[in-house]
Amino acid sequence: MEKRLPLEGVRVVDFGQQIAGPAVAMILADMGATVIHVDPPQGPQWDHPANAI
């Protein structure tokens, strides 16, 4: 029998711009959620490789 991830089928919209928001989004994705990251129109507030798309 195939195991399912606990958040499989859950969609999350991530508006986070600093470390905590994207970090939580990554954890939710690791648990099976589909995460959609949205940056502000002017682009990311924190321009760093860790804030990768």
Side-chain angles (χ1 to χ4, degrees):
M1 185 163 77
E2 187 176 323
K3 288 188 177 183
R4 292 184 47 158
L5 295 171
L7 296 180
E8 196 169 308
V10 174
R11 290 187 200 140
V12 176
V13 179
D14 169 27
F15 292 98
Q17 291 297 306
Q18 300 299 324
I19 294 172
V24 169
M26 183 178 68
I27 292 168
L28 293 172
D30 289 344
M31 294 178 70
T34 300
V35 177
I36 302 167
H37 178 76
V38 179
D39 281 324
Q42 66 274 16
Q45 296 174 348
W46 184 51
D47 191 21
H48 190 276
N51 193 21
I53 295 175

